[in-house]
């Protein structure tokens, strides 16, 4: 078995950028001591996703550039620890900030910079700049190379997010999160893993954070095994609501063998029948007036 150890940093943020830098570094060091190959932060760790109940001008001013000392400190830490790090932050951009995930490999090289595509425009995230695309990268770990993609929180509610990453070869999707992980959201993660034959690792804030409840999870995407008569639950790890560093283990060999023999994912798709999905003028009859649909 080739287990990839994913540390889900289910931790409570502090009040300042510097304090979150210090706590984030300490948490990554603890993750390494636990044997982690990858450490993943919850959504927008740089300011703890503290963007509600405050004037937009106040929290948008907390954005930091991708090349800032805050972000680059984790690049240096990844190299020092020889452990990949998925860092989340409010990214300063030309017009309005983005909700971003920077993924550094164990050599400290940035392999991915993903910006949340499906921003929650029905709330304060309407002040953010949505991302442009979904990306994958080959991440070098101590367990070998793994093809990784990123989604952030609300992206999970759109099957297209994970589908695109599957088509780009993702084996593992890292999902920073900041919301209650209840049965329906967990079901979405389970579905994204099952229908694309890939693993989905989600890191949420603990119950000490308002409107969050922990429940960080790993779905390995493997629904059927040759020696089992029935299907199996693809959830191989789910945390409670406590603040802690969770170590979830992904059996990469099992996942890869499964993808070679089973038929979910890209098998039997009929893209020529999906044209309506690409027509920005088509809206479901129950969509409220004023909702934005982008091409």
């Amino acid at each position: 078995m080739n287990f990839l150890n994913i540390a889900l940093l289910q931790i409570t943020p502090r009040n300042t950028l510097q304090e979150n830098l210090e706590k984030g570094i300490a948490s990554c060091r603890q993750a390494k001591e636990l044997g982690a190959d990858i450490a993943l932060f919850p959504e927008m760790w740089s300011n703890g996703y503290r963007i509600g109940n405050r004037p937009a001008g106040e929290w948008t001013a907390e954005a930091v550039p991708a090349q800032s000392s805050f972000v680059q400190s984790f690049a240096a830490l990844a190299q020092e620890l020889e452990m990949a790090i998925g860092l989340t932050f409010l990214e300063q951009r030309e017009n309005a900030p983005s909700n971003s995930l920077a993924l550094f490999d164990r050599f400290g090289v940035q392999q991915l910079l993903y910006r949340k595509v499906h921003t929650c425009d029905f709330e304060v995230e309407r002040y953010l700049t949505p991302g442009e695309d979904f990306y994958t990268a080959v991440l070098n770990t101590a367990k070998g190379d793994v093809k990784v993609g990123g989604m952030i929180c609300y992206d999970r509610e759109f099957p297209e997010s994970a589908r695109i990453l599957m088509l780009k070869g993702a084996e593992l999707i890292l999902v920073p999160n900041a919301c209650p992980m209840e049965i329906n959201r967990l079901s979405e993660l389970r579905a994204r893993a099952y229908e694309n034959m890939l693993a989905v690792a989600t890191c949420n804030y603990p119950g000490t954070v308002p409107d969050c409840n922990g429940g960080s999870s790993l779905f390995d995407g493997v629904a059927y095994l040759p020696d089992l008569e029935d299907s199996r639950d693809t959830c191989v790890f789910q945390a409670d609501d406590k603040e802690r560093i969770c170590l979830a283990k992904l059996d990469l060999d099992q996942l890869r063998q499964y993808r070679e023999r089973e038929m979910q994912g890209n098998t039997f798709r009929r893209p020529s029948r999906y044209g309506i999905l690409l027509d920005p003028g088509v809206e479901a009859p129950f969509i409220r007036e004023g909702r934005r649909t982008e091409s």
Side-chain angles (χ1 to χ4, degrees):
M1 294 184 180
N2 183 21
F3 284 105
L4 184 72
N5 295 325
I6 307 168
L8 306 173
L9 307 181
Q10 188 172 287
I11 53 179
T12 305
R14 293 178 175 169
N15 296 318
T16 68
L17 183 71
Q18 181 61 32
E19 288 176 323
N20 286 337
L21 172 64
E22 293 170 359
K23 183 166 185 174
I25 288 174
S27 297
C28 286
R29 293 191 184 283
Q30 292 176 40
K32 178 64 177 181
E33 291 175 0
L34 292 173
D37 300 301
I38 303 174
L40 178 64
F41 282 90
E43 185 176 7
M44 208 183 291
W45 173 252
S46 63
N47 73 348
Y49 198 81
R50 293 186 304 111
I51 65 175
N53 303 318
R54 290 199 291 160
E58 181 179 320
W59 62 262
T60 55
E62 297 171 352
V64 296
Q67 295 302 316
S68 65
S69 59
F70 175 84
V71 175
Q72 294 309 307
S73 292
F74 289 94
L77 183 64
Q79 181 180 29
E80 176 194 337
L81 298 178
E82 295 187 11
M83 177 185 72
I85 296 176
L87 173 70
T88 59
F89 60 107
L90 181 63
E91 182 190 1
Q92 185 182 97
R93 301 188 70 189
E94 184 176 353
N95 296 316
S98 288
N99 185 341
S100 301
L101 164 67
L103 181 60
F104 302 103
D105 66 18
R106 66 190 180 112
F107 305 111
V109 177
Q110 181 179 294
Q111 297 295 338
L112 195 68
L113 178 59
Y114 171 67
R115 292 149 177 154
K116 188 175 184 177
V117 168
H118 298 104
T119 50
C120 299
D121 292 350
F122 51 88
E123 291 185 344
V124 296
E125 284 196 359
R126 63 184 179 272
Y127 297 108
L128 297 176
T129 300
E132 299 81 12
D133 201 353
F134 296 94
Y135 308 101
T136 59
V138 176
L139 189 66
N140 183 283
T141 75
K143 305 297 172 55
D145 291 345
V146 58
K147 194 76 169 288
V148 178
M151 302 191 309
I152 297 177
C153 199
Y154 192 48
D155 284 326
R156 127 204 103 239
E157 306 213 5
F158 299 85
E160 296 87 350
S161 307
R163 185 64 94 193
I164 290 169
L165 291 171
M166 179 276 291
L167 291 172
K168 292 185 175 183
E171 299 174 285
L172 167 66
I173 300 178
L174 301 176
V175 188
N177 193 79
C179 71
M181 293 311 301
E182 42 77 53
I183 188 170
N184 296 297
R185 290 176 175 132
L186 289 166
S187 296
E188 289 173 329
L189 297 171
R190 179 180 276 105
R192 301 295 87 83
Y194 169 75
E195 66 200 8
N196 293 298
M197 295 199 300
L198 47 71
V200 179
T202 302
C203 182
N204 194 28
Y205 286 105
T208 52
V209 175
D211 204 32
C212 290
N213 66 344
S216 298
S217 61
L218 174 63
F219 294 87
D220 69 1
V222 178
Y224 309 104
L225 290 175
D227 57 344
L228 294 182
E229 182 177 351
D230 298 317
S231 65
R232 63 186 282 274
D233 188 353
T234 63
C235 182
V236 295
F237 177 83
Q238 185 178 344
D240 57 19
D241 64 347
K242 301 298 187 293
E243 177 174 13
R244 63 191 184 98
I245 295 172
C246 313
L247 196 67
K249 295 179 176 293
L250 173 63
D251 189 336
L252 277 174
D253 288 342
Q254 178 177 267
L255 174 60
R256 287 166 177 166
Q257 292 165 13
Y258 179 74
R259 287 160 68 106
E260 288 178 357
R261 69 174 182 268
E262 292 296 339
M263 63 180 187
Q264 284 74 35
N266 196 38
T267 311
F268 305 130
R269 290 175 67 248
R270 291 187 169 91
S272 64
R273 304 295 193 270
Y274 308 154
I276 192 172
L277 296 176
L278 302 177
D279 186 348
V282 176
E283 291 189 348
F286 55 83
I287 297 297
R288 294 203 303 257
E289 184 178 355
R291 288 290 182 90
R292 182 177 68 186
T293 300
E294 294 184 349
S295 59

